[in-house]
Amino acid sequence: MPARDIYHNNVKNALIKDKWTITHDPLTLKFGKKDLYVDLGARQMLAAQKAESKIAVEIKSFIGRSDVDDLEKALGQYILYQDMRLGS
């Protein structure tokens, strides 16, 4: 399991304050024989619609040596997760 980002607890606490329920910490996704870890999985009850909203939250601090390298990694993760969602 990967190390947590330095802002992990801040983001988690902000989601909880906004009435999100943390369902997974981290959220594990299967990709063939590999496991991928998204930082948080959460859900929120919407009383007006009587349905649930679900989100996966990947937390990035961009404190590496290169902002461009950090952006490339974050964008790559986003594309991978998006492709996995569309494929399921």
Side-chain angles (χ1 to χ4, degrees):
M1 188 171 350
R4 290 184 171 171
D5 188 275
I6 61 172
Y7 298 115
H8 183 92
N9 288 331
N10 297 49
V11 172
K12 183 176 177 178
N13 290 334
L15 288 168
I16 292 169
K17 272 184 155 180
D18 197 36
K19 307 290 190 246
W20 287 89
T21 300
I22 304 303
T23 58
H24 299 84
D25 185 6
L27 172 64
T28 305
L29 301 176
K30 291 281 187 195
F31 187 67
K33 294 182 180 181
K34 299 280 185 182
D35 287 339
L36 302 175
Y37 300 97
V38 180
D39 293 324
L40 297 170
R43 65 184 163 98
Q44 184 177 41
M45 297 297 290
L46 301 176
Q49 296 178 358
K50 293 188 180 181
E52 287 188 23
S53 293
K54 295 180 182 179
I55 58 173
V57 179
E58 184 65 38
I59 303 163
K60 297 292 176 206
S61 60
F62 288 83
I63 59 171
R65 288 181 163 192
S66 165
D67 289 344
V68 173
D69 185 53
D70 288 344
L71 177 61
E72 288 173 344
K73 288 178 184 174
L75 184 58
Q77 281 182 297
Y78 172 79
I79 292 168
L80 178 62
Y81 300 154
Q82 184 71 9
D83 286 350
M84 290 175 70
R85 184 184 71 85
L86 294 174
S88 59

